[in-house]
Amino acid sequence: GESEGRRPSSLSPEKDDDSTTAEKKEHQRRETKKNSKEKEATRLKFQERSASSSSPSASPSSRVLRSVGIGHVSVRVVAGNIADVRVDAVVNAANSLSFMTMDGGVSGALRNAMRPPGWRERKRELRKARAHGTTAGSGGRVIRKTPAAGKNKSAPAPAEKDDDGVIAYPKLFWDDDGKEHTNKRLPTTQAGVQPALGILRSQGVRHVVHAVGPIWTDYPVREKTFKIIIPQIKTTVRRALNAAARVGATSCAIPAISGGIFTHWKPNSNIKEREMKAARLAVVTEVCAWARDHGEATANKLLSVDIIDLPSRQRGSVKWFVEAFDKVAGSARKSNPRPTASEC
């Protein structure tokens, strides 16, 4: 009777409790592993989306040559025209009063992109008006010329002024203590913001950040100059990225700062090339350093930085950005293969 009434030992309460505990632990282990896989998939998906050349920050004609994720910030090297970018903020390699009428290079390209769509056609019409004495917007109709005072010759009608209000626009900038300032002129290494207009605005650009880098030709051609200029370029880049982040930009494009017309040129010398390469290395180094410092900050909304230059077939130097990127972020995962000579 006792043997029939006793429950089998394998079904004892103690064993049931142990089995339930083991099942709970196994379930928790599987859930943790599942969550880790989901997080990793999300992270990889973010990196792929950031690295994709079809992302909103890439123009249709641009090409992503290098990409790396640093924290939550995607840093890319892009071959393309900075005036065609689709980003929140575009950085201008500026002088102290940019924009100016005679701006060239990056500043000149962005200056033209601040004009309204169709400005080139408008400019051609103004030139015809000046040449033929017509009024712009008259559809080419010849307006009767007014005789010049005291002369038998006729004077052409005055052409309309080509002024769109972006020359020497007041810029908003911050000092290292976070104090806000507004001025038309920016000191060297400072970065100031003005609203994007015209073609840039139609592309989705909201801000132009004027970054005033140091001028190599203000110093003599010697090795000591590199030690003076490079830290100033890095300071300028850091302030430009900080300014873009302050105005709420989620993406920005930055060119070579102090890497063009500000460099030296001497016959039978490679000084210009050395300075251009050094400037690009400084830009890449500081962008990656800024991403490391801000990539994990929850308050930072600037999640994509494109380092951009024209390919060499368009007289650009993006290949030197690629070389600099490989030095600075060579151990990081590259989402694109090494570009061929035709691509650079």
Side-chain angles (χ1 to χ4, degrees):
E2 291 182 6
S3 61
E4 293 178 0
R6 187 183 300 122
R7 297 177 65 185
S9 60
S10 60
L11 299 178
S12 63
E14 293 79 2
K15 293 293 183 180
D16 286 347
D17 291 343
D18 291 344
S19 176
T20 302
T21 302
E23 288 177 1
K24 286 182 178 180
K25 288 182 178 180
E26 178 64 19
H27 178 73
Q28 290 175 353
R29 187 185 68 79
R30 289 177 180 175
E31 286 296 314
T32 301
K33 188 175 181 180
K34 180 182 177 182
N35 291 337
S36 298
K37 286 183 177 180
E38 288 177 353
K39 288 181 179 179
E40 179 66 12
T42 301
R43 185 184 68 81
L44 292 174
K45 192 178 293 183
F46 169 80
Q47 288 186 346
E48 289 170 3
R49 185 171 65 249
S50 299
S52 173
S53 60
S54 61
S55 72
S57 62
S59 70
S61 59
S62 67
R63 178 175 174 80
V64 179
L65 301 180
R66 292 290 187 274
S67 177
V68 65
I70 303 177
H72 296 302
V73 180
S74 171
V75 178
R76 312 189 305 178
V77 175
V78 177
N81 189 335
I82 195 167
D84 295 336
V85 295
R86 309 292 196 267
V87 292
D88 282 344
V90 59
V91 178
N92 178 29
N95 57 56
S96 61
L97 276 174
S98 290
F99 290 111
M100 297 176 67
T101 306
M102 300 302 291
D103 280 349
V106 169
S107 194
L110 292 177
R111 163 74 183 86
N112 288 335
M114 290 282 279
R115 299 175 187 267
W119 72 272
R120 292 185 186 276
E121 293 76 12
R122 175 69 171 170
K123 191 171 184 179
R124 281 195 290 268
E125 188 177 350
L126 286 168
R127 285 176 177 172
K128 288 180 181 179
R130 295 188 182 103
H132 302 293
T134 62
T135 300
S138 65
R141 296 193 307 275
V142 176
I143 305 302
R144 181 175 294 177
K145 297 177 180 180
T146 305
K151 294 183 180 180
N152 294 326
K153 296 180 179 179
S154 59
E160 295 179 10
K161 188 178 180 181
D162 184 18
D163 184 8
D164 44 28
V166 300
I167 300 296
Y169 191 93
K171 292 95 175 173
L172 179 67
F173 66 98
W174 296 264
D175 59 29
D176 291 339
D177 295 326
K179 188 176 180 181
E180 190 176 290
H181 304 271
T182 303
N183 205 321
K184 290 182 179 180
R185 184 183 293 273
L186 294 172
T188 301
T189 73
Q190 190 52 265
V193 184
Q194 82 174 80
L197 300 172
I199 298 170
L200 285 179
R201 188 72 181 187
S202 70
Q203 294 170 181
V205 179
R206 296 186 294 126
H207 310 282
V208 175
V209 181
H210 296 281
V212 185
I215 300 175
W216 291 86
T217 53
D218 285 348
Y219 300 88
V221 178
R222 58 184 182 184
E223 292 301 318
K224 187 177 180 181
T225 296
F226 285 82
K227 296 179 181 180
I228 297 172
I229 294 290
I230 297 305
Q232 291 186 38
I233 293 175
K234 292 181 178 180
T235 298
T236 309
V237 171
R238 184 173 67 252
R239 286 174 172 169
L241 296 176
N242 285 340
R246 278 182 178 273
V247 294
T250 60
S251 59
C252 83
I254 185 169
I257 303 299
S258 299
I261 197 171
F262 285 179
T263 57
H264 286 100
W265 180 85
K266 287 182 68 177
N268 304 318
S269 173
N270 67 344
I271 187 62
K272 188 174 188 69
E273 181 176 323
R274 288 186 60 209
E275 291 174 354
M276 291 175 72
K277 285 184 176 181
R280 283 160 177 78
L281 179 59
V283 170
V284 173
T285 301
E286 191 57 33
V287 167
C288 290
W290 187 94
R292 282 193 297 271
D293 293 341
H294 298 82
E296 301 297 339
T298 55
N300 175 47
K301 295 182 180 180
L302 183 55
L303 302 178
S304 175
V305 180
D306 286 353
I307 304 169
I308 187 166
D309 203 341
L310 291 170
S312 57
R313 63 176 178 271
Q314 298 179 34
R315 302 181 67 182
S317 303
V318 73
K319 62 182 179 181
W320 291 337
F321 268 141
V322 170
E323 291 176 5
F325 183 93
D326 289 343
K327 288 180 181 179
V328 176
S331 60
R333 181 179 66 86
K334 301 179 182 67
S335 63
N336 292 279
R338 181 176 293 277
T340 63
S342 62
E343 292 169 348
C344 286

